[in-house]
Amino acid sequence: MKSIKRTFFILFILLATSCEENKTEEPTYYIPYEPPLLCEPTDDEIVNLLCNWWKHSEEEEEDTFEKPIYRPADFKEFPAIRGFRAEYVLSSDFTCAYLVPDPFDAHYFSEGKWSLRDSELIIIIDSLNATVSKMKIIELTDDMLRIERIK
């Protein structure tokens, strides 16, 4: 009986000392990624406006998800949301990065290319030349991009 009590006491001491929290360290499971953003001025005003890091601002949408609003990443402090906030980083050399949803909230950026057709249709293509997304521009200013998703 003494040996059982001694064993439990030793286990308790080991658990108590090994569970100390170090509140100054950041978690190591998340490595932030800053996608490259190259915005050299071009002759095309639409390309100049599109060249930005765009985040889906669903808090501003009154209607359905059909015509989402995107804002520049530094436009405001975006609140945490349940689920996924789409992000696109469009560079003037027509390279891009886009946030890929993950079922375990480990969303990650993937790199690809983008193109503009007829000054209104944005097409995002991944590194394997597969179409990731097609969007029609509804409204575009220096601080807002409103699109319509094309299937």
Side-chain angles (χ1 to χ4, degrees):
M1 185 74 171
K2 271 188 171 180
S3 64
I4 293 175
K5 285 183 181 179
R6 188 178 309 140
T7 305
F8 279 119
F9 180 73
I10 292 171
L11 283 174
F12 175 76
I13 296 297
L14 286 173
L15 285 173
T17 58
S18 66
C19 292
E20 286 184 28
E21 259 187 65
N22 185 354
K23 296 181 181 182
T24 60
E25 289 185 23
E26 290 290 320
T28 57
Y29 58 86
Y30 173 71
I31 300 171
Y33 171 70
E34 291 281 330
L37 177 60
L38 171 67
C39 284
E40 297 292 326
T42 68
D43 293 336
D44 190 336
E45 183 182 348
I46 294 175
V47 172
N48 291 337
L49 286 172
L50 285 172
C51 182
N52 212 330
W53 184 333
W54 298 98
K55 285 188 172 189
H56 184 201
S57 185
E58 65 183 51
E59 305 82 25
E60 297 181 63
E61 296 170 8
E62 294 113 19
D63 54 356
T64 64
F65 192 65
E66 300 291 321
K67 295 180 180 149
I69 294 173
Y70 287 80
R71 296 285 188 179
D74 61 356
F75 180 77
K76 65 178 181 177
E77 188 70 34
F78 289 89
I81 60 169
R82 292 188 135 226
F84 175 73
R85 184 184 299 279
E87 297 182 34
Y88 297 98
V89 181
L90 305 177
S91 294
S92 58
D93 64 354
F94 293 97
T95 59
C96 68
Y98 52 92
L99 199 59
V100 177
D102 181 83
F104 301 106
D105 287 340
H107 312 307
Y108 60 94
F109 277 96
S110 189
E111 295 181 357
K113 295 182 179 190
W114 70 281
S115 63
L116 182 65
R117 305 262 167 88
D118 300 326
S119 297
E120 68 175 9
L121 183 65
I122 304 168
I123 301 173
I124 308 287
I125 299 167
D126 67 12
S127 59
L128 300 174
N129 288 330
T131 300
V132 173
S133 184
K134 286 184 183 179
M135 304 171 261
K136 180 179 179 184
I137 299 171
I138 303 299
E139 187 176 349
L140 177 61
T141 64
D142 61 342
D143 66 355
M144 186 179 71
L145 169 63
R146 188 170 187 111
I147 60 159
E148 181 177 353
R149 298 179 195 283
I150 306 214
K151 299 186 188 218

